[in-house]
Amino acid sequence: RKRVAGGLPYGWEQETDENGQVYFVDHINKRTTYLDPRLAFTVEDNPVKPTTRQKYDGNSTAMEILQGRDLSGKVVVITGANSGIGFETAKSLALHGAYVILACRNTSRGNDAVQRILGEWHKAKVEAMTLDLASLQSVQHFAEAFKSKNVPLHILICNAAVFGAPWGLTEDGLEATFQVNHLGHFYLVQLLEDVLRRSSPARVVVVSSESHRFTEIKDSSGKLDFSLLSPSKKEYWAMLAYNRSKLCNILFSNELNRRLSPHGVTSNSVHPGNMIYSSIHRNWWVYTLLFTLARPFTKSMVSE
């Protein structure tokens, strides 16, 4: 015995005709039907709960993972959401009913990303706001602007990052990779912590990397070496700077979860996978070349 469960697939709506009969509208493909599209996803009345390994694998898409989820009423902030993993995450959450804010350094690109999502579903609740993690003042302005909306915050995804960037200092006098990848997010979470607590159950997701394993931030005596976090130009190596920032992400997420989970706010750090092709390599032609050579063996974020 099977039954229909979960919400309608994204882009679908349920309507009633003049005779009181229910029908379904597919806004993506511009068609209507009296057949419930969820019949394609019927479930057993007494199913055996599958393991995560059984449900999802390397071929799974964000849309498949969220299939049947109704995120209406949930408010989500995603940094660096105008491209790559951030955009795919924002799109998937918005198409399942969440109100998604794309926190982007480039406002124009952020607005373009919003229009791309609205092009898939015109009723999606999505907007772009300016956030430059290389400026602590910009982080503060973003937090103030978000709070002025008087909405909850159920999910904060710290996704934005730079990789392979040349050495440079931010307006705050800190090495740019460290500030953009870690410190800016750290400050953002601190500024929004009160909203997260009031919105519990809520969660913070920090996008880190497996490359955190290939570095160290301690000196020879085992103490934290602050000079490694924001190194001088002479001591700078782009790959090491990225690895250190990703290690900081994980340490931060673990401690944040320890402090806030008793208040209904969880925090997790995630590794997005080694075999995903994105634009994170754009800062140096060598990395671009390597990513291009590896592309035939990577997972695309665009449906073929």
Side-chain angles (χ1 to χ4, degrees):
R1 182 183 176 87
K2 294 187 175 183
R3 60 184 173 84
V4 170
L8 291 168
Y10 85 92
W12 286 81
E13 281 188 305
Q14 180 177 306
E15 303 285 353
T16 305
D17 64 18
E18 62 273 11
N19 298 317
Q21 189 171 357
V22 173
Y23 67 97
F24 301 90
V25 181
D26 179 359
H27 290 288
I28 303 299
N29 297 304
K30 313 297 182 185
R31 62 190 179 93
T32 61
T33 178
Y34 285 91
L35 188 67
D36 191 330
R38 291 172 294 182
L39 289 172
F41 307 99
T42 53
V43 297
E44 299 286 348
D45 260 344
N46 298 301
V48 176
K49 188 175 182 181
T51 64
T52 301
R53 192 176 294 276
Q54 288 175 315
K55 290 178 66 177
Y56 311 122
D57 59 24
N59 295 316
S60 301
T61 67
M63 296 303 299
E64 291 170 347
I65 292 172
L66 290 175
Q67 173 64 44
R69 300 278 184 174
D70 182 5
L71 300 178
S72 300
K74 299 296 184 182
V75 180
V76 184
V77 170
I78 307 176
T79 66
N82 60 277
S83 64
I85 294 172
F87 174 75
E88 294 299 323
T89 304
K91 180 180 74 172
S92 301
L93 294 171
L95 294 179
H96 283 83
Y99 167 34
V100 182
I101 294 175
L102 284 65
C104 307
R105 177 180 59 85
N106 188 308
T107 305
S108 175
R109 291 179 182 176
N111 290 330
D112 288 344
V114 167
Q115 292 306 312
R116 287 159 60 195
I117 295 173
L118 292 174
E120 293 210 26
W121 188 32
H122 71 286
K123 290 189 177 182
K125 298 177 181 178
V126 58
E127 70 170 295
M129 292 178 62
T130 302
L131 170 64
D132 183 359
L133 292 164
S135 165
L136 297 181
Q137 184 178 54
S138 175
V139 176
Q140 184 177 8
H141 288 167
F142 173 87
E144 292 170 351
F146 176 82
K147 288 181 177 181
S148 70
K149 294 178 177 293
N150 294 314
V151 295
L153 177 57
H154 302 105
I155 305 173
L156 171 58
I157 302 177
C158 301
N159 163 77
V162 293
F163 171 81
W167 183 87
L169 296 178
T170 67
E171 64 182 46
D172 302 294
L174 296 166
E175 191 277 311
T177 298
F178 171 65
Q179 180 165 332
V180 171
N181 293 6
H182 171 64
L183 193 63
H185 283 127
F186 179 94
Y187 189 39
L188 178 65
V189 173
Q190 301 307 303
L191 294 175
L192 297 178
E193 180 181 329
D194 56 337
V195 186
L196 287 165
R197 287 195 186 210
R198 290 198 302 268
S199 308
S200 65
R203 70 179 64 187
V204 177
V205 179
V206 183
V207 180
S208 183
S209 170
E210 192 70 15
S211 66
H212 79 278
R213 300 182 185 277
F214 308 115
T215 190
E216 186 56 84
I217 56 174
K218 296 178 182 178
D219 59 23
S220 57
S221 63
K223 295 182 180 180
L224 179 63
D225 188 344
F226 287 98
S227 66
L228 294 176
L229 300 181
S230 183
S232 64
K233 186 174 183 178
K234 182 180 178 181
E235 302 295 327
Y236 180 79
W237 183 28
M239 192 68 216
L240 271 181
Y242 178 80
N243 295 351
R244 288 167 182 155
S245 70
K246 296 293 103 177
L247 177 57
C248 288
N249 287 161
I250 293 176
L251 296 174
F252 166 58
S253 179
N254 289 350
E255 180 62 18
L256 185 68
N257 187 71
R258 188 187 71 80
R259 295 189 185 192
L260 295 190
S261 57
H263 305 283
V265 182
T266 60
S267 178
N268 292 278
S269 55
V270 300
H271 169 52
N274 292 320
M275 302 307 290
I276 296 179
Y277 186 88
S278 71
S279 60
I280 195 171
H281 54 77
R282 61 187 177 274
N283 285 300
W284 192 28
W285 69 268
V286 173
Y287 290 126
T288 299
L289 176 61
L290 292 175
F291 272 71
T292 301
L293 292 174
R295 185 164 190 176
F297 309 100
T298 62
K299 180 177 179 180
S300 171
M301 288 182 288
V302 179
S303 299
E304 300 297 343

